[in-house]
Amino acid sequence: MPLPSIPGYNRLTKTHKYSAAGIAAAGAAAIAIAVVPGGDAGAKTTAQDLPNKPVALTSQKADSQAHHEALVKQSALAAKQAKEEAAAKKKAAEEAAAKKAAEEAAAKKAAEVKAAKERAVQQAANRSTARIETVAAAKDTQKTYPNNLDGWIRESLDIMKQKGIPGSYNGIYRNIIRESGGNPRAINLWDINARNGVPSKGLLQVIAPTFKQYHVEGTSWDLYDPVANITAACNYAAARYGSMDNVNGPY
């Protein structure tokens, strides 16, 4: 191929000439490659357009794969977090339920202890009230007697009844009048008993050995005590004569 006619070409150095020729040849080669054989001269494709399509497809595929992997990782992380949150909620619920159950059990136990104490206090109060009422009832029902011959005889008769000793008011009264005239401090200092050193004393003139032997439990040990004297004398008369009612003279 003849070298192009370039103004001032002849004045260039050899090096410059070779460079210009190379550039011209390269440009011609590029134009020749760009023309599609047998095609329309207007349908041209530049060298820069050819590699763009496969590069763009590869990049999109890589981006899609990375996006998919990211979604998988995010889904796995979300599932793990949801599982951990569910486990934490379950544990918290179990701990709350256990705490509530423990509190309810403690409250129930405290209520039972309190109720037991209240029952014990109430029972003690009931027993105390019952004792007071019993004592009050006993006082109310306790019989009182006048401090005279009538009262002494009646009190002795009640004691004799409890002990199973026979005797009547009239029988006791009759013998008291004959023996002492109703004087509880009466004493015989002249009969055989007095001469023997054991004078008869009291309402029914009982000597000390007889009083001691036939003394009735629950009465005084004082031989001059009216009730004790009558009760012991009636006990002696019941043993020897069957009843004070059967005594009509010295006995």
Side-chain angles (χ1 to χ4, degrees):
M1 175 181 294
L3 295 172
S5 177
I6 300 172
Y9 180 78
N10 292 325
R11 292 192 298 269
L12 296 175
T13 64
K14 184 183 290 186
T15 301
H16 291 162
K17 291 179 180 180
Y18 286 144
S19 299
I23 291 170
I31 293 171
I33 293 171
V35 177
V36 178
D40 188 359
K44 298 179 180 180
T45 302
T46 65
Q48 293 177 351
D49 294 335
L50 293 177
N52 285 345
K53 290 183 179 180
V55 171
L57 291 174
T58 302
S59 176
Q60 290 177 359
K61 184 176 181 180
D63 290 343
S64 176
Q65 181 67 26
H67 181 65
H68 175 71
E69 290 177 355
L71 290 177
V72 170
K73 289 181 180 180
Q74 289 178 356
S75 177
L77 180 61
K80 181 179 179 181
Q81 290 177 345
K83 185 176 180 180
E84 291 176 351
E85 290 176 357
K89 289 181 179 179
K90 182 179 180 182
K91 183 178 179 181
E94 291 175 349
E95 290 177 351
K99 182 179 179 181
K100 183 178 180 181
E103 291 175 350
E104 290 177 350
K108 182 179 179 181
K109 182 66 176 178
E112 291 175 351
V113 171
K114 182 180 179 181
K117 289 182 178 179
E118 290 177 350
R119 285 195 300 271
V121 171
Q122 186 61 45
Q123 289 172 356
N126 291 341
R127 288 193 295 269
S128 178
T129 301
R131 284 194 297 269
I132 293 172
E133 291 176 350
T134 300
V135 172
K139 289 182 178 179
D140 291 340
T141 58
Q142 186 175 2
K143 198 171 182 178
T144 58
Y145 307 91
N147 188 26
N148 53 33
L149 182 58
D150 178 71
W152 301 330
I153 293 173
R154 293 186 183 282
E155 185 174 355
S156 294
L157 283 170
D158 287 341
I159 295 172
M160 290 164 58
K161 183 178 180 180
Q162 293 175 3
K163 303 297 182 179
I165 301 171
S168 67
Y169 185 97
N170 290 332
I172 295 172
Y173 180 83
R174 173 169 45 83
N175 281 284
I176 287 176
I177 296 302
R178 187 189 66 250
E179 293 292 333
S180 66
N183 179 11
R185 304 299 300 180
I187 182 171
N188 188 326
L189 298 176
W190 53 268
D191 65 2
I192 186 62
N193 292 323
R195 289 196 296 271
N196 291 332
V198 285
S200 301
K201 299 177 181 180
L203 291 173
L204 284 171
Q205 292 294 284
V206 182
I207 62 175
T210 301
F211 178 80
K212 183 177 181 180
Q213 182 178 357
Y214 291 95
H215 173 265
V216 176
E217 185 180 358
T219 63
S220 172
W221 280 96
D222 180 6
L223 196 154
Y224 284 109
D225 180 83
V227 175
N229 187 282
I230 294 171
T231 309
C234 290
N235 193 26
Y236 164 73
R240 185 165 183 178
Y241 303 105
S243 174
M244 183 61 74
D245 294 348
N246 298 329
V247 177
N248 297 303
Y251 62 105

